[in-house]
Every structure is written in C-alpha cells, then in structure tokens.
Amino acid sequence: KKYFNSEIIKILFDGQINSFSGQKLEISFTQGVSILLNMSIENNEVINFNYDSKNPIFQTDSTIIDSPIALSLNGFFSLFNRSSSRSRGRIRRSFPLQYMDLTEKFSEIDGSPSPIISNPEILEEIKKIINGTVEYNRNRRTFSFSRPNQVEINISNLATGIKSFVVLQLLLLSGNINPHSILRIDEPEIHLHPKWEIEYARIIVELSKAGIPIIISTHSPYFIKALTVYSKNYQITENIKVYYGKANESGLTTFDDITLNLQPFLITLSEPMQQLFLDS
C-alpha cells in the first residue's frame, strides 16, 4: 500500500490517478470467482489494498513500453548509475518509472548479451524487418545500430520507427522478454508506418505463441486486424483477446470483448474520416 502510494501514484501517475470528478476509484482483478486484487483509491491515495500474495501473477516482472524515447535517454542514465546515491534518488524521482526500468534492463547487456537469450528466432525476424541490429558501444557507453557494410549509427540518430523494434531487440537480448515477465505496450502504432504496424503485430503474435504474456492498448485498425489475422495463421487464436473500451451513459468506461467481431471498433475509428469526406 505504501509502495503503491509513493511509487505508482506519486511518481508513475504524477500524483493524479483519480478522475477529475473526484469519484472513488475501485480496482479489482478476478480469476474465476477468486479475487486476486482489490483496492480503493480516494483523493489520489490508496485507502484499501488487498491481494493474494501467493498467486504467481504477483511474483513476476513487468515491462512497460510507452515510447521508444527511452533509448535516447540511455546515455543519460549511464551517468545516473555512476552518480552518488543521493543524486540517484533525486533523479529517480524526476523521471517516469517505466523509463528508469527500461534503461536499467537495457544496461544488463552492457558488454555482452544475456547468456540465456529468449526467442533467438524472433530476434532474427526483427533484424530482417529493420535490416540491422543493435550492439553496445563500450567507447561511447551507449548503443549503436549497424547494418551490413555500413557505418555504425548512434542510437539517438535512428528513426523512431526503427527504435520501436530496437527496444524489443534489447529486451530480448537481455532476457527480459520471457514467459515470467508481462510485456505492456502502449499504442505501438504511433511511430510506425502502416506496413511496419503489421510487421510489429506479427512479432507480437510470435512472442505470444512463445508463451510471453502481453497487454497492448491501441487505436489502430491495422494493428488490431493484423493481430487477429496472424493469431489465426499461427494457430493461437485462443491466446488473443480484444477488448473495446467505451464510455457508458453514466460516463464510466466499460470494456466489451469483441474478439470475434471487430466491427464496433472499426466503425468508431472510421467515423472521423467519414466526417471529413462529408465536410469536404
């Protein structure tokens, strides 16, 4: 409870997690009839926190990818790791937890990759898509991107779309994408060409087939459709669940299972374009 207040609400959510209307926030996770987690948050502070500590879901790691910008911050965090403990405390409070976590996981392969690289075949797939791979540069104390017979490119100078795939490369190289770690990706389509959205979705499906638990939020019809098509092609349709969030009459968001019928989601996304044609 103390950790959730100080680290999640104050740092990750910058002290604002309740709705602007001031309503109490109730969060509950269930598995069948069993309640795994139940918590109440009021005035941006946890007032009730109960969970089943013996359940394996609370004993796994979690990685959040909400932007490839974490790659550009890697050099800065290298300096952070060499600073005094007091300075590290101040810096840690100034940066989002997910960026700190990502760069710390990247740093695990400084010098050499993990001796246990999960899913090397998927690493090769990513390498083919972006026609290159990332390596740790000891002299610069950061990562460089290289392609066959070309000069190494500093990671900061890469197109953001390539960085999106490089983040997955580094997490695979460090062994942080595995069946015991939940991968959470927020709107991966933002920096991707539609063709690469589809390729990214294919990689996600391959990771899911390998037993990686993944949660993704997206507004992209390309991405959602690609997930359903590739999950069928790879014969893992039972692994994929698609939920569509929408506000009900009282203003609360509900999530409907649309796995077998994407139409409500696709219609909603097509409305802005239809309106443009009507206005033109």
Coordinates of all heavy atoms in Angstrom, one line a residue, residues 89-123:
G89 N 18.8 9.3 -6.1 CA 17.5 9.5 -5.5 C 16.7 10.6 -6.1 O 15.5 10.5 -6.4
R90 N 17.4 11.8 -6.3 CA 16.7 13.0 -6.8 C 16.3 12.7 -8.3 O 15.2 13.1 -8.7 CB 17.7 14.2 -6.7 CG 17.8 14.7 -5.3 CD 18.4 16.1 -5.4 NE 19.7 16.2 -6.0 CZ 20.8 16.1 -5.4 NH1 20.9 15.9 -4.1 NH2 22.0 16.1 -6.1
I91 N 17.3 12.1 -9.1 CA 17.0 11.9 -10.5 C 15.8 10.9 -10.6 O 15.0 11.0 -11.5 CB 18.2 11.4 -11.2 CG1 19.3 12.4 -11.2 CG2 17.9 11.0 -12.6 CD1 20.7 11.9 -11.7
R92 N 15.8 9.8 -9.8 CA 14.8 8.8 -9.9 C 13.4 9.4 -9.7 O 12.5 9.0 -10.4 CB 15.1 7.7 -8.9 CG 14.1 6.5 -8.9 CD 14.4 5.5 -7.9 NE 15.6 4.8 -8.3 CZ 15.6 3.7 -9.2 NH1 14.5 3.3 -9.7 NH2 16.7 3.1 -9.5
R93 N 13.3 10.3 -8.8 CA 12.0 11.0 -8.5 C 11.6 11.9 -9.6 O 10.4 12.3 -9.7 CB 12.1 11.7 -7.2 CG 12.1 10.8 -5.9 CD 11.9 11.6 -4.7 NE 13.0 12.6 -4.4 CZ 14.1 12.2 -3.7 NH1 14.3 11.0 -3.2 NH2 15.1 13.1 -3.5
S94 N 12.5 12.3 -10.5 CA 12.2 13.2 -11.6 C 11.8 12.5 -12.9 O 11.3 13.2 -13.8 CB 13.4 14.1 -11.8 OG 13.8 14.8 -10.7
F95 N 12.0 11.2 -13.0 CA 11.8 10.6 -14.3 C 10.7 9.5 -14.1 O 10.7 8.8 -13.0 CB 13.0 9.9 -14.8 CG 13.9 10.9 -15.5 CD1 14.8 11.7 -14.8 CD2 13.8 11.1 -16.9 CE1 15.6 12.6 -15.5 CE2 14.6 12.1 -17.6 CZ 15.5 12.8 -16.8
P96 N 9.9 9.2 -15.1 CA 8.9 8.2 -15.0 C 9.5 6.8 -14.7 O 10.6 6.5 -15.3 CB 8.2 8.2 -16.4 CG 8.5 9.6 -16.9 CD 9.8 10.0 -16.4
L97 N 8.9 6.1 -13.9 CA 9.4 4.7 -13.5 C 9.6 3.8 -14.7 O 10.6 3.1 -14.7 CB 8.4 4.1 -12.5 CG 8.5 4.6 -11.1 CD1 7.4 3.8 -10.3 CD2 9.8 4.4 -10.5
Q98 N 8.7 3.9 -15.7 CA 8.9 2.9 -16.8 C 10.2 3.2 -17.6 O 10.8 2.3 -18.1 CB 7.7 3.0 -17.7 CG 7.4 4.3 -18.5 CD 6.5 5.2 -17.7 OE1 6.5 5.2 -16.5 NE2 5.7 6.0 -18.4
Y99 N 10.6 4.5 -17.7 CA 11.8 4.8 -18.4 C 13.0 4.3 -17.6 O 14.0 3.8 -18.1 CB 12.0 6.3 -18.7 CG 11.0 6.8 -19.6 CD1 10.7 8.2 -19.7 CD2 10.3 6.0 -20.5 CE1 9.8 8.7 -20.6 CE2 9.4 6.5 -21.4 CZ 9.1 7.9 -21.4 OH 8.2 8.4 -22.3
M100 N 13.0 4.5 -16.3 CA 14.1 4.0 -15.4 C 14.2 2.5 -15.5 O 15.3 2.0 -15.7 CB 13.8 4.4 -14.0 CG 13.7 5.9 -13.7 SD 15.3 6.7 -13.9 CE 16.3 5.9 -12.6
D101 N 13.1 1.9 -15.5 CA 13.1 0.4 -15.6 C 13.6 -0.1 -16.9 O 14.4 -1.0 -16.9 CB 11.6 -0.1 -15.3 CG 11.5 -1.6 -15.4 OD1 12.2 -2.3 -14.5 OD2 10.9 -2.2 -16.3
L102 N 13.2 0.5 -18.0 CA 13.6 0.1 -19.3 C 15.2 0.2 -19.4 O 15.8 -0.7 -19.9 CB 12.9 0.9 -20.4 CG 11.7 0.3 -21.0 CD1 11.1 1.3 -22.1 CD2 11.9 -1.1 -21.6
T103 N 15.7 1.4 -19.1 CA 17.1 1.7 -19.3 C 17.9 0.7 -18.4 O 19.0 0.3 -18.7 CB 17.5 3.1 -19.0 OG1 17.0 3.5 -17.7 CG2 16.8 4.0 -20.0
E104 N 17.4 0.4 -17.2 CA 18.1 -0.5 -16.3 C 18.2 -1.9 -16.9 O 19.2 -2.6 -16.8 CB 17.5 -0.5 -14.9 CG 17.8 0.7 -14.1 CD 17.0 0.8 -12.8 OE1 16.2 -0.2 -12.5 OE2 17.1 1.7 -12.0
K105 N 17.1 -2.3 -17.6 CA 17.1 -3.6 -18.3 C 18.0 -3.6 -19.5 O 18.6 -4.6 -19.8 CB 15.6 -3.9 -18.7 CG 14.8 -4.3 -17.4 CD 13.4 -4.5 -17.7 CE 12.6 -5.0 -16.5 NZ 11.2 -5.0 -16.6
F106 N 18.0 -2.4 -20.2 CA 19.0 -2.3 -21.3 C 20.4 -2.5 -20.9 O 21.3 -3.1 -21.5 CB 18.9 -1.0 -22.0 CG 17.6 -0.7 -22.7 CD1 17.2 0.6 -23.0 CD2 16.7 -1.7 -23.0 CE1 16.0 0.9 -23.6 CE2 15.5 -1.5 -23.6 CZ 15.1 -0.2 -23.9
S107 N 20.7 -1.9 -19.7 CA 22.1 -1.9 -19.2 C 22.6 -3.3 -18.8 O 23.8 -3.5 -18.7 CB 22.2 -1.0 -18.0 OG 21.5 -1.5 -16.9
E108 N 21.7 -4.2 -18.7 CA 22.1 -5.6 -18.3 C 22.9 -6.2 -19.4 O 23.5 -7.2 -19.2 CB 20.8 -6.4 -18.0 CG 20.1 -6.0 -16.7 CD 18.8 -6.7 -16.5 OE1 18.6 -7.8 -17.1 OE2 18.0 -6.3 -15.7
I109 N 22.8 -5.7 -20.7 CA 23.6 -6.3 -21.7 C 24.8 -5.5 -22.1 O 25.4 -5.7 -23.1 CB 22.7 -6.6 -23.0 CG1 22.2 -5.2 -23.6 CG2 21.6 -7.5 -22.7 CD1 21.6 -5.4 -24.9
D110 N 25.2 -4.5 -21.3 CA 26.4 -3.7 -21.5 C 27.6 -4.7 -21.5 O 27.9 -5.3 -20.5 CB 26.6 -2.7 -20.4 CG 25.6 -1.6 -20.5 OD1 24.7 -1.6 -21.4 OD2 25.7 -0.6 -19.7
G111 N 28.2 -4.8 -22.7 CA 29.4 -5.6 -22.8 C 29.0 -6.9 -23.5 O 29.7 -7.4 -24.4
S112 N 28.0 -7.6 -23.1 CA 27.6 -8.9 -23.7 C 26.1 -9.1 -23.4 O 25.6 -8.8 -22.4 CB 28.4 -10.0 -23.2 OG 28.2 -10.2 -21.8
P113 N 25.5 -9.8 -24.3 CA 24.0 -10.2 -24.1 C 23.9 -11.2 -23.0 O 24.8 -11.7 -22.5 CB 23.6 -10.8 -25.5 CG 24.7 -10.4 -26.5 CD 25.9 -10.2 -25.7
S114 N 22.6 -11.4 -22.6 CA 22.3 -12.4 -21.6 C 22.8 -13.8 -22.1 O 22.6 -14.1 -23.3 CB 20.8 -12.4 -21.3 OG 20.5 -13.5 -20.6
P115 N 23.3 -14.6 -21.2 CA 23.7 -15.9 -21.6 C 22.5 -16.8 -22.0 O 22.6 -17.8 -22.7 CB 24.4 -16.5 -20.3 CG 23.8 -15.7 -19.2 CD 23.6 -14.3 -19.8
I116 N 21.3 -16.4 -21.6 CA 20.1 -17.1 -21.9 C 19.2 -16.1 -22.7 O 18.5 -15.3 -22.1 CB 19.3 -17.6 -20.7 CG1 20.2 -18.5 -19.9 CG2 18.1 -18.3 -21.2 CD1 19.5 -19.0 -18.6
I117 N 19.4 -16.1 -24.0 CA 18.6 -15.2 -24.9 C 17.3 -15.9 -25.3 O 17.3 -16.9 -25.9 CB 19.4 -14.8 -26.2 CG1 20.7 -14.0 -25.8 CG2 18.5 -13.9 -27.1 CD1 21.5 -13.7 -27.0
S118 N 16.2 -15.3 -24.8 CA 14.9 -15.9 -25.2 C 14.5 -15.6 -26.6 O 14.8 -14.5 -27.1 CB 13.8 -15.3 -24.2 OG 13.8 -13.9 -24.3
N119 N 14.0 -16.6 -27.3 CA 13.5 -16.5 -28.6 C 14.5 -15.9 -29.6 O 14.2 -14.8 -30.2 CB 12.2 -15.6 -28.6 CG 11.3 -16.1 -27.5 OD1 11.2 -15.5 -26.4 ND2 10.6 -17.2 -27.7
P120 N 15.6 -16.5 -29.9 CA 16.6 -16.0 -30.8 C 16.0 -15.9 -32.2 O 16.4 -15.1 -33.0 CB 17.7 -17.0 -30.7 CG 17.1 -18.3 -30.2 CD 16.1 -17.8 -29.2
E121 N 15.1 -16.8 -32.6 CA 14.5 -16.8 -33.9 C 13.7 -15.5 -34.1 O 13.7 -15.0 -35.3 CB 13.6 -18.0 -34.1 CG 12.3 -18.1 -33.4 CD 12.5 -18.4 -31.9 OE1 13.6 -18.7 -31.5 OE2 11.5 -18.3 -31.2
I122 N 13.1 -15.0 -33.1 CA 12.3 -13.7 -33.2 C 13.3 -12.6 -33.4 O 13.0 -11.6 -34.1 CB 11.3 -13.5 -32.0 CG1 10.3 -14.7 -32.0 CG2 10.6 -12.2 -32.1 CD1 9.4 -14.6 -30.8
L123 N 14.4 -12.7 -32.7 CA 15.5 -11.6 -32.9 C 15.9 -11.5 -34.3 O 16.1 -10.4 -34.9 CB 16.7 -12.0 -32.0 CG 16.8 -11.3 -30.6 CD1 18.0 -11.9 -29.9 CD2 16.9 -9.8 -30.7

